[in-house]
Amino acid sequence: MTRFFDLRPDKKVWPLFNGDFDAAPKWGLPGIKNCPGCGATWSNWGNHYPAVDLSGLPDRGEFEEARAEPFHEFVRLRELVRPLVPKNSELPPGTSFGPLVGRASGQFAPFSGLDCCWIVVRRDAFDSLQAAGVRGLLGCKTELKFRQKTPPDILELQIEPRGLLHRDCLPPDLAPPCTTCGRQGFKLPDDPILDEASLPTDTDLFRVANYTTVIIGTDRFKDAVEQGGWAGISFRELPVRA
């Protein structure tokens, strides 16, 4: 039976690696301003597709500034990018695309970025995971500018939303998602439970679709990281419930 683990930054490696970056995705959908269904002004964090290139869109400039827009304008922009993203992607407000752009410096751990809900991985660790048979890995180039003359070879992983948190770990009085914008606001439970029926069987790395800042790895992913001696990730096993 497959086991599932919440992936978090391993703070023990910080004294050993001083790599750091200040970056943001190149493009993004705007947030929603005053949703006509629920009234909320909001934007999601965690839906990120670094492999999706918007440079061919005539209106690409409209995806370069973070802002909130009326719902109808958000929908217009969302439909412009829909042909470029993986099939069945929900694309909530704030979904981002393209490489991380910014400055970086220092010696990077094999895995970093988890404190920002991304995974930036060194090429040697990425190749090791692939050789170990970890499924669903998609490594994407970044546009980080390093201060040192010989920058590290790093990639960002595209991690798509797949599984769900189980209803039993959510507030009992939780309202259903807004039928207009899809928003369902709740705090991440202290003890998350995964919904068994929703979990993917074809990938070893994914985000929780109803709380996309949570990144999940299977026991196959965990074993490959630990057997390779790759630092930067800590693992917390999560229960699964039917």
Side-chain angles (χ1 to χ4, degrees):
M1 179 179 295
T2 302
R3 298 160 64 200
F4 297 89
F5 298 83
D6 181 14
L7 308 186
R8 299 183 173 188
D10 183 3
K11 297 180 180 180
K12 296 192 299 292
V13 308
W14 291 355
L16 304 176
F17 298 95
N18 64 352
D20 191 22
F21 62 93
D22 181 11
K26 195 166 189 174
W27 301 288
L29 287 174
I32 289 177
K33 182 179 181 180
N34 301 327
C35 169
C38 64
T41 294
W42 70 286
S43 181
N44 180 273
W45 182 259
N47 283 266
H48 178 41
Y49 296 88
V52 174
D53 182 3
L54 304 190
S55 61
L57 287 180
D59 297 326
R60 61 186 175 276
E62 298 191 58
F63 299 91
E64 294 175 355
E65 179 185 356
R67 65 198 187 281
E69 293 281 6
F71 181 71
H72 65 86
E73 176 64 4
F74 161 75
V75 170
R76 182 185 74 84
L77 294 171
R78 182 186 64 189
E79 297 314 303
L80 290 178
V81 302
R82 189 173 295 283
L84 304 177
V85 301
K87 187 178 180 181
N88 298 324
S89 298
E90 291 192 4
L91 303 180
T95 299
S96 55
F97 314 98
L100 289 174
V101 180
R103 299 180 181 275
S105 63
Q107 180 67 35
F108 272 64
F111 293 94
S112 56
L114 275 158
D115 50 327
C116 298
C117 306
W118 301 318
I119 295 185
V120 173
V121 57
R122 283 193 337 224
R123 171 74 69 172
D124 53 351
F126 179 80
D127 291 344
S128 173
L129 296 186
Q130 284 199 312
V134 175
R135 301 167 302 168
L137 293 181
L138 178 56
C140 308
K141 292 183 178 180
T142 73
E143 291 186 8
L144 297 176
K145 294 184 178 180
F146 285 84
R147 295 177 183 175
Q148 55 262 50
K149 293 182 179 179
T150 307
D153 187 2
I154 62 172
L155 302 167
E156 184 190 3
L157 298 183
Q158 179 161 298
I159 309 168
E160 298 175 20
R162 299 288 297 274
L164 296 170
L165 294 176
H166 196 281
R167 187 68 178 83
D168 289 353
C169 71
L170 302 180
D173 58 349
L174 181 64
C178 172
T179 56
T180 300
C181 69
R183 182 179 183 272
Q184 186 180 39
F186 60 90
K187 181 182 177 182
L188 179 67
D190 293 333
D191 299 303
I193 302 170
L194 299 177
D195 182 278
E196 183 177 30
S198 73
L199 298 176
T201 58
D202 59 346
T203 184
D204 293 306
L205 189 66
F206 58 94
R207 296 181 184 274
V208 174
N210 55 351
Y211 216 102
T212 51
T213 57
V214 178
I215 300 176
I216 302 296
T218 67
D219 46 0
R220 185 197 301 259
F221 178 85
K222 178 177 182 289
D223 290 346
V225 170
E226 293 180 340
Q227 290 171 11
W230 305 114
I233 296 180
S234 64
F235 297 89
R236 176 178 68 150
E237 186 168 4
L238 296 184
V240 175
R241 187 170 298 173

